[in-house]
Amino acid sequence: MHIVFFGDQHLASLGGAQVSMRLQKQYLERAGHTVTVVAPKMHSARIFGWPNPFDLPSIPITLDREYSMSWPGQRTDRFLDRAFATQPPVDIVHVQADFWGAFIGHRFAHRHGIPVVHTMHNRVDVGMAAVTPLHRPALAVLNMWRRSAMRGIGQTVAGSDGWAFLRGLAQGASAVTAPSGHFARRLEQNSVFDRVDVVWNGIDDELLAPILATRHEREPGRPRFVWLGRMSPEKRLLPFLEAVVASQVDADVEVIGGGGQLRAAQKIARGHSGIRFAGRLPYAETLARIAESDAVVQTSIGFETQGMTPFEAAALGTPTIVSDPDIADELRGGLWTVPDASVPALADTLTRAASDIRAGEAPSPLAEVGEEFRQSSRTAAMIEIYERVLADRHGAADTLTT
């Protein structure tokens, strides 16, 4: 098959969706398929050195030039059609975007009569509420943009909230997937799509193997906690650091990642010698740090459509302190749960986890979660969906001809 990924951001940029798409591309190509990636051109000097004729004309939208935006319209349509004119025929468009990348991908598939599999990575309503107090008018504008950009694709979907936005995106899809059971249930309950396939984002089998081979059980002692992710409000880094300071927990705390809240985080941590900011690290090194830690701390609530770090931790045999009850349910074990969203509750849980670790009584993640999280199994599951969509398309075509 020739599969075309559409993303909101370049695969060289920071983000869980981008990590997942890089792995999917690698494992699909290993299985003998062709994968083309379409995303906005990246303007950061940190970009990987790969040439890609399908990088869309774009403008940077963040001060660090990490993230970009491409406008969905006729100019972008013409750019893509020229780029694909000399390429093998496309069998599947796989949209893994929630905004401009989704519009552009659906427009391309609609123009060329190609079936779409749409992976929904984003709780748009929660994400918008986390970054702006004006999220309701912002969502209304977003829905107007969606109706304009996707005019003529599927049925017109009214509404101005986050679920209306996702329902509108799903109108152009033959299949919709979600990276967790809890997000899939919410999509179905809110009539985004009748049947949502659950396909977790995975972890690279080849990176996992050597880390597991060299991993040693840590002796009980001073606990080592690691928090990793984008430093933005919905990830709740600042409440975590406030909880570390309030609890005065006797532990080493490593924060991995970057983003707009770095200075605020450093201000909270000032004077607490146990907190270290590691910055952004390569994926393999990040996994190694998870394996070396006693616990990963996951603090976002209601935002994550999967929340990859607890699953990465489970695959590496590291337990997690989990704030989101949906993620806790999906992990099914190997964790400490934070009872509510308050800083005191998180502080108490950190203290409890540190005590369990020092006593050698930390919970162990379920082995089956780690096995199910391997990218090889996730790619096999996605290929089945591609084949089902193509079979349904061919079956419908045969019915029409007869």
Side-chain angles (χ1 to χ4, degrees):
M1 289 180 280
H2 182 190
I3 304 143
V4 180
F5 288 175
F6 281 82
D8 282 323
Q9 296 301 330
H10 198 282
L11 294 201
S13 64
L14 186 69
Q18 293 89 298
V19 170
S20 174
M21 289 169 70
R22 290 200 297 264
L23 276 178
Q24 291 174 49
K25 182 177 188 296
Q26 175 185 338
Y27 277 75
L28 283 167
E29 289 174 342
R30 187 174 298 170
H33 304 288
T34 299
V35 180
T36 302
V37 179
V38 177
K41 179 182 177 181
M42 190 174 173
H43 298 267
S44 169
R46 199 177 59 79
I47 189 170
F48 298 163
W50 57 37
N52 184 5
F54 305 96
D55 283 356
L56 299 172
S58 68
I59 57 171
I61 56 173
T62 55
L63 292 176
D64 61 2
R65 303 173 70 84
E66 179 85 12
Y67 302 112
S68 307
M69 172 186 171
S70 296
W71 189 260
Q74 292 184 1
R75 182 181 177 186
T76 300
D77 294 345
R78 290 193 295 268
F79 174 91
L80 276 180
D81 290 347
R82 286 195 301 269
F84 278 96
T86 59
Q87 300 300 310
V90 177
D91 298 293
I92 291 280
V93 164
H94 189 167
V95 173
Q96 305 203 51
D98 303 287
F99 302 106
W100 45 88
F103 304 157
I104 293 166
H106 280 287
R107 288 168 67 102
F108 176 80
H110 184 69
R111 285 197 308 281
H112 298 281
I114 304 166
V116 175
V117 174
H118 192 130
T119 294
M120 295 197 167
H121 287 282
N122 197 331
R123 274 289 303 267
V124 174
D125 53 345
V126 177
M128 294 289 284
V131 298
T132 174
L134 302 175
H135 60 279
R136 288 187 178 87
L139 280 169
V141 170
L142 199 58
N143 273 286
M144 291 173 60
W145 188 21
R146 182 259 306 164
R147 284 190 288 271
S148 174
M150 295 183 62
R151 186 179 293 113
I153 301 175
Q155 299 177 352
T156 301
V157 176
S160 60
D161 63 6
W163 298 114
F165 182 78
L166 296 179
R167 280 194 292 273
L169 294 184
Q171 284 295 303
S174 297
V176 170
T177 78
S180 68
H182 62 83
F183 188 42
R185 289 193 303 272
R186 283 197 172 90
L187 291 168
E188 292 170 349
Q189 290 164 359
N190 287 277
S191 302
V192 172
F193 207 73
D194 289 339
R195 172 194 172 189
V196 178
D197 292 283
V198 179
V199 183
W200 287 357
N201 295 323
I203 190 170
D204 191 342
D205 302 42
E206 292 184 351
L207 287 177
L208 183 62
I211 295 172
L212 289 176
T214 57
R215 186 181 191 273
H216 300 288
E217 292 297 323
R218 282 173 49 81
E219 295 295 326
R222 182 177 171 87
R224 184 184 302 172
F225 296 145
V226 61
W227 185 100
L228 58 152
R230 185 175 61 253
M231 295 180 182
S232 53
E234 71 277 5
K235 297 293 187 176
R236 300 183 69 243
L237 170 61
L238 303 189
F240 165 61
L241 295 175
E242 290 169 357
V244 172
V245 173
S247 68
Q248 291 298 302
V249 63
D250 183 22
D252 293 321
V253 176
E254 183 173 48
V255 178
I256 300 173
Q261 291 192 319
L262 175 59
R263 287 188 178 181
Q266 290 171 330
K267 183 176 180 181
I268 293 171
R270 193 172 298 142
H272 193 292
S273 60
I275 300 175
R276 173 178 175 267
F277 292 89
R280 292 169 174 158
L281 299 177
Y283 184 52
E285 187 173 350
T286 298
L287 294 179
R289 298 290 181 92
I290 293 173
E292 293 165 0
S293 69
D294 293 297
V296 163
V297 184
Q298 180 272 328
T299 46
S300 63
I301 300 174
F303 170 75
E304 307 290 352
T305 54
Q306 178 183 10
M308 286 186 66
T309 53
F311 293 88
E312 290 165 336
L316 292 161
T318 301
T320 307
I321 297 169
V322 181
S323 296
D324 191 317
D326 286 333
I327 295 176
D329 288 345
E330 198 122 353
L331 283 171
R332 307 192 298 274
L335 51 90
W336 296 271
T337 56
V338 183
D340 60 58
S342 68
V343 169
L346 183 51
D348 289 344
T349 307
L350 290 170
T351 301
R352 177 162 50 92
S355 177
D356 289 345
I357 291 164
R358 282 194 298 269
E361 297 175 355
S364 298
L366 299 183
E368 54 264 37
V369 171
E371 287 299 317
E372 293 167 8
F373 190 58
R374 291 174 181 265
Q375 184 59 47
S376 54
S377 71
R378 300 304 83 215
T379 296
M382 191 62 76
I383 288 172
E384 288 183 6
I385 295 170
Y386 293 158
E387 291 174 342
R388 185 187 78 211
V389 166
L390 289 174
D392 290 346
R393 174 63 64 96
H394 293 154
D398 291 344
T399 301
L400 287 173
T401 57
T402 56

